[in-house]
Amino acid sequence: MTVLSVDDPEERFTGLYDRHYRNVLGYALLRAEPAMAEDLTSETFLVAWRRLDDLPDPPLPWLLGVTRNLLRNQRVRRLRSDELVARLAALSTFAEGDVAERVANRQEALAVLAGLREQDVEAVVLASWYGLTPEEAAQVAGCSARTYNVRLHRARRRLADALRPAPPFTFFQEQA
Amino acid sequence: MNENDAVNELIATLRPDALTEDAYRRRRSADLARAIDSPRTRHNPRRSAMSQRRPLLLIAGTAAAGLAAAVIVVPHLSSGNSPRPDSSGRLAIGTSTPKTTASSTGVRTVNVRTVLLAAATVAAKEPVDAGRFWYSRVHTSQLVRVAPKEYMTKIRALIAEQEARTKELKGRPAELKAYTKDWNKRVTELKMARLPYIATRAETTETWRSLKHGTGREVRDQDVRIAFATPEDEAKWKRAGSPTLSGDDRPRTKEGAPEGIVSIDNPSLTWSNVSKLPTDKEGLKARLKSLYAQSPDKGKGLAAYMSATGWDLLTAPITPGTRAALYQVLADTASGLTSHAGVADGLGRTGVSLETTGPDDYDRPGRITYRLIFDDRTAKVLELDVIEAGTSTPLLRQTFETTGYVDKPGDLPQR
């Protein structure tokens, strides 16, 4: 980095984009069709460029909040949780090396997610995908940190129940 | 692992990474260009001053004088070499996809200056690397300009005629001069003649070039392929008697310094010393101006020289700092360039193009487009194309599959 000064706004912006584009798009994909999600992500970074000197640190919660506002302005309908889960199932791909057990767990988790409220799904996604603190996630979700924690806890509880290994089949037979 | 971790990990597997990665690659150039091009609302006088600054000269059409020399190469009459129409030392072989591959979807016009500045930023972040040898694997596809055997038969006949006639005209200088002039004209016509069909010859060349001594290895003419632009072209070729078009079509390995010079306009630049070029914009600009002053061909002007030399250097083993500075110099001096994002090269890789036009062999302006495609994630060159107006088959396509430093001939770069 001998050529460019660290203060170069174009360089800062490029770095911001390279670090966070995928995160922002991933979030937009929870709400919008891929083409619109990409456009909204572009818009988000355009806003970020204009406000480059005002960005908080870390910038990701702020970026996701901008995306959320844009989604609202676009009147993108919030999905029912089963729609959201169907979309997640369609969008995600298995990493290589996934084992059968994890695939089975994933199907169970999707089934559980489909039964959750949409805000609860968002809560657990924000924590898992982006590692946001409750305060940061609450800022994105547009609620209080307390409300967010309630949603997150509720979602995790239901998912953890679903993931707990079921007792062996023979056990049930004997009980019956 | 506690239950929260297990849940987090599971939810993480639902993250649409493949989709977001794909979108990131497709959208990055245009998104960055669009944003950086737009004004920032507050306190940024520097930015608006920059966008209003008129580009310095810079000569569009001439940018690729070096390339043009490569492309318009025809067999040298006097040399005893095989009559390969593409025997320029700068070239190597290629893929079997002779058509322009810029896909109609996803290609967008972007601001040249913005693209060049973004490229400079990216280039500066690339790791500094070094090695004893510079390796390259390059696919070259060229328009077949002559059927080698037919061409050689005709050219030998012309030479024989000239020798005989020159003896006859001994002692009659005026007639000899007139004859020689006419003979040269006929040779030129033969060289410039187009075949009645459009075909390309593609080959792959690997080179290992010592950066210290005049040693190395070159393996040319790998995967030689002839491709016709259309089935009609192939039918015409068959009607013409299916002449052999491929020339040498077996790989040839040559030990010793590979052919090829860094930059036609700059004899003082070598594969070894380009890594020592300045890494700051002003320093590099000053050096290029001084090189221009020594250049054997100043006729085309400083601006054309700058971009032609820039093109040459971008494919040479320069440091990330020099590469970044070079993009900045080009951003300052480029006029007449256009740029597109999402352009595919001959290997299907997408990048950002820089295009300029120049005259053809008959000095008709704007007839030839010189296009450089670079990877906007690394700022390294993917491909150089020379395209004639009104045709879809490039005259020359040079695709850089791999370049990098290695320790010895035979080794391949690690990254």
Side-chain angles (χ1 to χ4, degrees):
Chain A
M1 299 305 297
T2 55
V3 176
L4 297 164
S5 93
V6 183
D7 260 355
D8 187 280
E10 292 170 15
E11 186 194 342
R12 262 195 293 150
F13 177 70
T14 303
L16 183 80
Y17 187 95
D18 289 345
R19 272 195 305 282
H20 296 304
Y21 178 89
R22 301 166 187 81
N23 291 333
V24 173
L25 178 61
Y27 179 72
L29 283 167
L30 290 175
R31 299 284 174 76
E33 296 299 326
M36 177 180 258
E38 287 182 22
D39 287 346
L40 289 174
T41 305
S42 300
E43 288 300 309
T44 298
F45 280 97
L46 196 57
V47 173
W49 166 253
R50 294 190 184 126
R51 302 281 305 276
L52 196 60
D53 292 331
D54 308 324
L55 293 194
D57 185 33
L60 180 60
W62 183 87
L63 287 169
L64 296 178
V66 170
T67 309
R68 182 173 177 277
N69 287 337
L70 290 170
L71 283 160
R72 196 181 54 208
N73 295 345
Q74 291 292 316
R75 310 220 183 285
V76 174
R77 182 175 63 89
R78 290 178 82 105
L79 298 174
R80 295 193 316 270
S81 58
D82 58 333
E83 293 175 307
L84 171 58
V85 168
R87 174 170 292 161
L88 277 175
L91 293 177
S92 61
T93 49
F94 289 113
E96 264 179 60
D98 267 321
V99 291
E101 183 191 351
R102 291 192 56 182
V103 175
N105 279 346
R106 182 173 174 276
Q107 293 306 329
E108 288 174 46
L110 284 169
V112 173
L113 281 175
L116 297 180
R117 295 175 209 181
E118 191 259 359
Q119 288 100 325
D120 294 5
V121 176
E122 183 184 39
V124 75
V125 161
L126 287 172
S128 165
W129 288 7
Y130 308 126
L132 299 186
T133 66
E135 290 73 24
E136 292 167 349
Q139 183 195 337
V140 177
C143 63
S144 72
R146 190 169 172 279
T147 304
Y148 171 81
N149 274 327
V150 170
R151 292 174 184 172
L152 179 63
H153 181 74
R154 193 161 51 205
R156 280 180 168 161
R157 184 84 268 129
R158 298 278 298 275
L159 282 159
D161 286 346
L163 292 181
R164 206 164 287 135
F169 184 57
T170 49
F171 176 77
F172 283 110
Q173 280 190 324
E174 283 167 19
Q175 292 295 306
Chain B
M1 180 186 293
N2 71 31
E3 286 185 342
N4 280 351
D5 289 339
V7 168
N8 278 345
E9 189 188 301
L10 184 70
I11 299 298
T13 66
L14 299 176
R15 203 169 60 182
D17 288 345
L19 198 71
T20 54
E21 183 65 26
D22 172 67
Y24 168 72
R25 292 178 184 197
R26 273 187 293 108
R27 306 269 307 207
R28 184 179 187 276
S29 304
D31 278 357
L32 289 178
R34 174 165 167 249
I36 292 172
D37 259 5
S38 74
R40 291 169 64 207
T41 40
R42 275 174 260 175
H43 40 69
N44 198 3
R46 190 171 79 97
R47 169 96 230 138
S48 47
M50 280 195 333
S51 11
Q52 283 163 21
R53 184 169 63 198
R54 293 294 306 272
L56 309 184
L57 34 158
L58 200 115
I59 318 150
T62 47
L67 264 182
V71 110
I72 312 294
V73 157
V74 288
H76 288 290
L77 249 192
S78 51
S79 88
N81 289 346
S82 68
R84 297 177 51 220
D86 49 358
S87 59
S88 158
R90 309 184 68 215
L91 309 182
I93 316 187
T95 64
S96 61
T97 50
K99 288 191 182 142
T100 299
T101 50
S103 71
S104 54
T105 56
V107 176
R108 300 168 302 284
T109 302
V110 289
N111 178 282
V112 173
R113 179 176 165 77
T114 305
V115 154
L116 289 168
L117 289 175
T121 305
V122 169
K125 286 180 181 162
E126 285 291 297
V128 175
D129 201 0
R132 295 174 54 223
F133 287 80
W134 177 248
Y135 170 80
S136 67
R137 179 179 171 84
V138 184
H139 305 283
T140 299
S141 170
Q142 287 192 83
L143 188 71
V144 177
R145 299 180 77 93
V146 295
K149 276 185 187 161
E150 294 176 355
Y151 176 82
M152 278 313 282
T153 304
K154 289 178 186 168
I155 209 79
R156 284 192 181 120
L158 276 170
I159 291 171
E161 179 209 289
Q162 188 211 26
E163 284 171 355
R165 221 37 205 131
T166 303
K167 276 181 196 160
E168 285 172 28
L169 295 176
K170 211 172 181 180
R172 291 140 71 185
E175 283 178 62
L176 179 60
K177 194 177 170 190
Y179 170 76
T180 304
K181 191 178 170 190
D182 174 66
W183 185 85
N184 281 334
K185 187 168 156 252
R186 284 187 286 150
V187 171
T188 303
E189 279 169 5
L190 175 60
K191 285 185 175 186
M192 303 286 268
R194 287 289 174 91
L195 292 168
Y197 42 84
I198 296 174
T200 56
R201 177 186 191 271
E203 62 97 39
T204 303
T205 292
E206 288 177 286
T207 56
W208 289 264
R209 194 183 300 278
S210 169
L211 296 173
K212 292 215 166 70
H213 319 285
T215 61
R217 179 185 301 166
E218 179 180 79
V219 188
R220 306 183 62 91
D221 290 338
Q222 304 180 55
D223 311 319
V224 173
R225 264 177 242 171
I226 297 294
F228 293 93
T230 65
E232 291 72 45
D233 287 299
E234 185 165 11
K236 283 181 194 165
W237 169 74
K238 283 182 178 158
R239 282 202 292 279
S242 306
T244 302
L245 299 179
S246 56
D248 297 335
D249 59 0
R250 269 173 305 202
R252 290 178 303 150
T253 299
K254 196 183 99 183
E255 299 291 341
E259 292 175 34
I261 55 173
V262 177
S263 177
I264 287 174
D265 293 335
N266 303 285
S268 66
L269 291 179
T270 67
W271 295 95
S272 311
N273 69 16
V274 289
S275 63
K276 299 179 182 72
L277 285 169
T279 55
D280 65 291
K281 181 175 83 171
E282 293 309 324
L284 184 64
K285 202 189 275 179
R287 174 69 66 81
L288 290 175
K289 281 183 179 169
S290 110
L291 283 169
Y292 173 65
Q294 309 160 23
S295 173
D297 175 20
K298 293 196 233 352
K300 59 192 172 185
L302 175 64
Y305 164 84
M306 280 286 194
S307 57
T309 299
W311 257 229
D312 291 338
L313 288 177
L314 285 174
T315 59
I318 55 177
T319 62
T322 299
R323 185 176 302 272
L326 182 55
Y327 278 113
Q328 291 178 317
V329 171
L330 290 172
D332 274 5
T333 55
S335 72
L337 289 177
T338 54
S339 182
H340 294 90
V343 178
D345 77 357
L347 293 170
R349 304 173 296 186
T350 54
V352 174
S353 69
L354 296 170
E355 290 134 35
T356 184
T357 60
D360 65 7
D361 292 348
Y362 304 95
D363 281 332
R364 293 176 294 183
R367 292 278 301 170
I368 306 287
T369 297
Y370 302 92
R371 181 171 74 172
L372 176 149
I373 305 173
F374 66 89
D375 184 339
D376 47 304
R377 287 167 298 157
T378 62
K380 288 182 181 159
V381 173
L382 299 175
E383 184 170 285
L384 298 171
D385 296 320
V386 181
I387 302 160
E388 188 169 28
T391 63
S392 60
T393 302
L395 298 173
L396 170 71
R397 155 175 288 174
Q398 201 172 11
T399 310
F400 295 80
E401 182 178 348
T402 312
T403 54
Y405 295 96
V406 295
D407 285 336
K408 61 180 189 299
D411 285 359
L412 299 178
Q414 293 303 304
R415 46 181 248 92

